[in-house]
Amino acid sequence: MTDMMNMTVTTLDLHTGYEVVGPVCGSCREQSDPDQGFLQALREIRKSAALLQADAVIGMRQTCVPMADGTGRFHVQLYGTAVRKTAQAQADAAGGA
């Protein structure tokens, strides 16, 4: 399993070498800085994937919506698919094919 803080999160697909673990999401509510909201939601999506013993998150998408209360705060949500390296991909990465 990958270290949570170093886990790959990408908008792309890895195409080969993984098995799907399941959907994951992370969110941040009431953040006045969208960039900080994104970083907090990123920590949450990585945490969700790590709980599933995933190695990466692929197909990540983001929504950032202003709160309706007029305070200038945002709700940021990230979602994607948690994946785990297959045994063959792990062997290839270790140098033994």
Side-chain angles (χ1 to χ4, degrees), residues 2-92:
T2 302
D3 173 38
M4 183 178 85
M5 295 313 296
N6 293 320
M7 181 181 294
T8 298
V9 177
T10 179
T11 59
L12 304 174
D13 187 356
L14 300 177
H15 297 292
T16 61
Y18 68 85
E19 60 185 359
V20 172
V21 178
V24 288
C25 68
S27 65
C28 173
R29 295 183 182 270
E30 301 183 16
Q31 177 59 257
S32 58
D33 180 354
D35 292 334
Q36 288 301 312
F38 175 82
L39 293 174
Q40 185 174 342
L42 186 60
R43 283 190 295 274
E44 292 295 319
I45 198 171
R46 284 179 167 149
K47 183 178 176 181
S48 295
L51 288 172
L52 295 173
Q53 298 180 345
D55 295 311
V57 176
I58 62 171
M60 190 271 298
R61 298 293 181 260
Q62 169 186 338
T63 60
C64 183
V65 180
M67 302 292 285
D69 59 7
T71 60
R73 295 177 297 169
F74 295 86
H75 176 214
V76 179
Q77 184 171 25
L78 305 180
Y79 51 96
T81 303
V83 296
R84 189 178 301 126
K85 293 177 187 172
T86 61
Q88 182 62 46
Q90 289 176 354
D92 291 347

